[in-house]
Amino acid sequence: MKSKQMLLMARIGGAHGIKGEVRAQAFTGDPSAVGDYGPLTAADGRTFEILKAKPSKNIVLLTIKGVSDRNAAEALNGLELFIDRDTLPDDALDDGEVYQDDLIGLAVKDAEGTAHGSIIAVHDFGAGIVLEIKPDRGPSVMIPFSEAAVPELDVDAGWLLVDPIAAGLVDDGEGERSEEEAASRANPGSRRRRPPKDTGAD
């Protein structure tokens, strides 16, 4: 039996205009593709069909079936929309691409074989993807999901290779970096995002 792993696709913000359109943060490589994989499901079991997704600066404007006025749109503020992982097409991923949620749980190691913990969360603070690592001891740390910091990964084998200096895991003489600095070092154009931009679902 396939596991029922639900992936976060979008988080709805406030209403946009008076006709039911909502602002949302899309967790897809191409924000306009957030509705291309079928109806999305809320944690309470409600399903929502995305009729239109229009990128606008750092957000996406969504037109949702059955949401036709501002009051209905405002009622969805803060709602998170998910999709069953098994419905997403692995064969549509390009080389080097992965779904973000598939990164959760990967063991983190460097080229010397030193273990640095495992991935417990994937964040997007606006400047690029940031991975949260929980070491065996101590608090979690943030690293940028860039080619420099993460030169290699193997989801099937369950590991991710880091460059400790580029990832900020060791002192390189510049002092400790904040989460925001880690985010700013991430590559905002990283291909390793989910879902892929083009799936032939048009």
Side-chain angles (χ1 to χ4, degrees):
M1 177 182 293
K2 291 185 177 180
S3 62
K4 192 70 171 180
Q5 182 185 5
M6 302 303 289
L7 305 186
L8 179 62
M9 298 289 282
R11 181 180 295 116
I12 296 177
H16 178 76
I18 61 173
K19 297 183 178 180
E21 199 171 35
V22 298
R23 300 190 303 273
Q25 180 180 8
F27 300 98
T28 56
D30 176 7
S32 65
V34 68
D36 288 358
Y37 307 93
L40 305 181
T41 304
D44 59 11
R46 288 181 293 167
T47 60
F48 297 85
E49 181 180 349
I50 307 300
L51 299 179
K52 184 178 180 182
K54 180 174 64 177
S56 177
K57 296 183 179 179
N58 295 326
I59 62 170
V60 61
L61 301 177
L62 301 180
T63 300
I64 301 174
K65 185 176 182 179
V67 180
S68 57
D69 59 47
R70 187 176 182 84
N71 289 336
E74 289 288 3
L76 301 180
N77 192 0
L79 192 69
E80 294 184 332
L81 300 178
F82 301 83
I83 195 166
D84 183 355
R85 168 66 176 83
D86 290 333
T87 68
L88 296 177
D90 285 323
D91 58 1
L93 293 170
D94 292 332
D95 289 341
E97 283 189 327
V98 296
Y99 292 117
Q100 286 184 15
D101 282 59
D102 288 345
L103 298 172
I104 306 299
L106 293 186
V108 179
K109 62 181 181 180
D110 60 32
E112 302 299 321
T114 302
H116 293 273
S118 61
I119 305 298
I120 61 172
V122 180
H123 305 283
D124 186 348
F125 298 116
I129 302 300
V130 176
L131 305 179
E132 184 173 357
I133 298 174
K134 182 65 174 72
D136 292 335
R137 297 180 180 179
S140 63
V141 295
M142 304 285 190
I143 70 167
F145 192 29
S146 64
E147 294 290 342
V150 184
E152 188 176 352
L153 64 87
D154 189 328
V155 171
D156 292 334
W159 56 265
L160 177 149
L161 189 71
V162 296
D163 179 320
I165 293 178
L169 295 175
V170 298
D171 186 5
D172 62 356
E174 297 179 3
E176 295 183 357
R177 300 188 180 91
S178 65
E179 294 176 10
E180 290 78 8
E181 288 173 321
S184 70
R185 290 169 63 88
N187 176 9
S190 172
R191 296 186 301 116
R192 301 187 178 99
R193 307 181 69 172
R194 63 145 172 81
K197 181 176 180 180
D198 298 311
T199 64
D202 293 340

